[in-house]
Amino acid sequence: MSEGGGWSTIESDEGVFTSLIENLGVKDVQFEELISLDADTIRSLSPVYGVIFLFKWIRDHPPSTSTSTQQPPAGTPDPTPPPTLFFANQTIQNACGTQAILSVIFNHDTPSPSTSELPKIDIGPELRAFKDFTTGFPPDLLGEALSNSEPIRTAHNAFARSSPFVDETQRPQQDEEGGDVYHFIAYTPVAGRLYELDGLQPHPIVHGDCTPEDFPEKVIEVIQQRIARYPEGETRFNLMAVCRDLRVRAREFGDAEALENEERKRRAWAWENTLRKSNFVGFIGEVMKGVAGMKEQEGKFDEWVEGAKKETQRKLLRK
């Protein structure tokens, strides 16, 4: 992961990712967090275009370039993938979440001649223009183009947590040296094969033959192999399915209850995303000034401060 500015850290969240691609113009696609690691859960969301996997990076060597020396636990690098496969090297900090998302979306935006394949994704005019412009680019140049895309970067940064104290476009040096670093990768079936698309690898990774029908079992097996590399008890993983908008399916089946549940979920996502973008420091400061002023008027300010100090000391002693 090379140095670079301009891309903020975003949260691994189904509402964030869904709103991000909708802001870019993608139609009828959403993300669903997978609580259980089993094929039936993925299959229940069909059609599923792929999954996004978040995990803690294990350093063999410091991750400093787009072609890291760390090798995946299984699979075979494919230096000559199908010409239609979208695969970009990651060339800038903090972009791996959006890059993993686009690695799924861009690989399912054209119709397939096979009736067993997944339905086409409408990626909208903004992303269509980007993909048309970059068609034929090698992975490194494609990664540079993605990192320098102002519309994609703006949509990504719209979901950065608001903070008056932290510049999210600059990763602290200690994160690179000793802190935990997390990384997103994508798994998706393309041209009859299961591909692992990791921008820190020089090539896409093939995990054998795979149809959309086989995908749930195949991808769970691969992810379980990856998780098995970690110490027992490690739970800091996140898995999200990229599926068709569940409201579309509810309308097709005339399921009013499911449709209302999905609409309620969208309203909750909108509210949470609004909170993510808000900076409450000023509000909290005004509240504290108001409380302090009230205590002064009552002549209890010093008593209030001393009580707070004693309570803090009690909490520290309990720890």
Side-chain angles (χ1 to χ4, degrees), residues 224-295:
Q224 287 175 337
Q225 290 175 3
R226 179 180 283 275
I227 290 176
R229 292 193 306 161
Y230 288 79
E232 186 176 355
E234 175 61 62
T235 60
R236 287 172 291 183
F237 304 102
N238 182 266
L239 185 65
M240 277 189 283
V242 190
C243 60
R244 190 168 63 151
D245 189 331
L246 296 176
R247 296 174 299 178
V248 174
R249 186 172 68 177
R251 293 189 187 102
E252 290 176 349
F253 285 95
D255 191 336
E257 182 178 357
L259 180 59
E260 174 54 31
N261 288 339
E262 290 303 315
E263 293 291 1
R264 188 182 305 115
K265 184 194 301 180
R266 294 300 181 112
R267 291 192 292 270
W269 288 350
W271 172 247
E272 291 165 2
N273 287 336
T274 299
L275 294 180
R276 285 184 177 94
K277 300 173 186 178
S278 301
N279 172 15
F280 294 100
V281 173
F283 170 74
I284 294 170
E286 291 301 315
V287 170
M288 291 301 297
K289 286 194 291 186
V291 172
M294 182 182 66
K295 294 296 182 182

Side-chain angles (χ1 to χ4, degrees), residues 125-242:
E126 194 76 67
L127 292 182
R128 171 58 58 199
F130 172 83
K131 191 175 182 188
D132 289 347
F133 174 73
T134 58
T135 296
F137 282 18
D140 56 347
L141 186 55
L142 186 54
E144 288 290 344
L146 193 155
S147 298
N148 289 313
S149 169
E150 185 65 22
I152 295 175
R153 186 184 68 83
T154 299
H156 171 102
N157 286 345
F159 294 93
R161 288 186 176 276
S162 177
S163 172
F165 307 119
V166 178
D167 179 5
E168 287 286 357
T169 67
Q170 300 295 327
R171 183 184 294 275
Q173 185 177 3
Q174 60 266 31
D175 283 0
E176 294 295 336
E177 295 175 349
D180 290 336
V181 177
Y182 293 87
H183 184 52
F184 294 90
I185 59 176
Y187 294 93
T188 186
V190 178
R193 308 172 89 183
L194 174 57
Y195 277 96
E196 174 184 323
L197 304 174
D198 178 356
L200 297 184
Q201 296 294 332
H203 308 292
I205 308 298
V206 180
H207 291 278
D209 294 339
C210 180
T211 66
E213 290 77 14
D214 300 332
F215 178 71
E217 284 84 11
K218 296 276 190 180
V219 75
I220 290 298
E221 180 182 352
V222 171
I223 291 173
Q224 287 175 337
Q225 290 175 3
R226 179 180 283 275
I227 290 176
R229 292 193 306 161
Y230 288 79
E232 186 176 355
E234 175 61 62
T235 60
R236 287 172 291 183
F237 304 102
N238 182 266
L239 185 65
M240 277 189 283
V242 190

Side-chain angles (χ1 to χ4, degrees), residues 9 12 53 57 68 71 80 86 101 104 107 116 130 157 173 183 185 190 193 213 216 239 249 268 284-285 290 304 318:
T9 302
S12 176
F53 184 51
W57 179 266
S68 169
Q71 293 298 316
T80 56
F86 178 91
I101 292 169
V104 175
N107 278 304
S116 66
F130 172 83
N157 286 345
Q173 185 177 3
H183 184 52
I185 59 176
V190 178
R193 308 172 89 183
E213 290 77 14
L239 185 65
R249 186 172 68 177
I284 294 170
W304 175 56
R318 283 200 296 269

